[in-house]
Amino acid sequence: TLREAFGLPVGYSDHTLGTEIAVAAAALGAALIEKHLTLDRTLPGPDHAASLEPAEFTAMVRQIRAVTSALGDGVKRPAPCEEKNRAAARRSLVAARDLPAGHVLTRADLAAKRPAVGLSPADIDAALGKALKRPLRRDEALTEGSL
């Protein structure tokens, strides 16, 4: 991209009708948007007809801010409004069947189910081959204390 090639912010000079292209440019990374502004598109002159009137310009700015906010910063994390549902929505490793104490875990012994009250499914490789310290009932979450 130009931003990477030159190490500078990149902008877009928009001479199209409407606001869609400017919003798309911002979504693609344009840090600056140039858009003509007029108080009245019917005024004489070469730029008035393709310019935005104040209410349209305000709407464009809102649209750009909404789109760039929705794109985030590229770091995947739950939004604050999602935190209360995090445990219910995520999964834990659970016993796929009743397992006795001392049993050495295999992939067939484990399943991933809600809620997230035990080890994450991402930790399955660390659990495989380990012996259980205590028995687990079917669908009981695997925890650090279980291993």
Side-chain angles (χ1 to χ4, degrees):
T1 67
L2 286 172
R3 178 178 43 216
E4 292 164 349
F6 296 102
L8 297 168
V10 174
Y12 177 69
S13 179
D14 186 14
H15 293 90
T16 65
L17 298 177
T19 62
E20 297 85 359
I21 304 305
V23 173
L28 291 171
L32 307 160
I33 302 293
E34 180 229 347
K35 187 77 172 173
H36 287 248
L37 177 65
T38 185
L39 296 177
D40 182 354
R41 247 193 313 275
T42 64
L43 290 172
D47 292 327
H48 292 286
S51 299
L52 295 179
E53 291 180 351
E56 296 167 313
F57 194 88
T58 299
M60 178 191 70
V61 170
R62 281 193 190 114
Q63 293 164 358
I64 288 171
R65 288 183 178 154
V67 166
T68 55
S69 175
L71 290 172
D73 60 8
V75 177
K76 178 76 172 144
R77 65 172 93 52
C81 64
E82 296 172 313
E83 285 294 334
K84 66 181 179 202
N85 297 326
R86 188 175 187 169
R90 294 203 174 185
R91 299 173 189 275
S92 292
L93 289 173
V94 300
R97 57 187 171 81
D98 290 343
L99 300 170
H103 180 81
V104 177
L105 293 173
T106 67
R107 195 168 292 274
D109 296 324
L110 300 172
K113 292 187 178 182
R114 292 178 174 154
V117 294
L119 293 178
S120 167
D123 297 326
I124 192 168
D125 288 335
L128 295 177
K130 295 218 172 141
L132 291 174
K133 292 181 182 175
R134 60 179 188 77
L136 286 180
R137 292 182 323 273
R138 181 176 183 214
D139 292 332
E140 185 178 349
L142 185 67
T143 65
E144 288 289 336
S146 306
L147 302 176

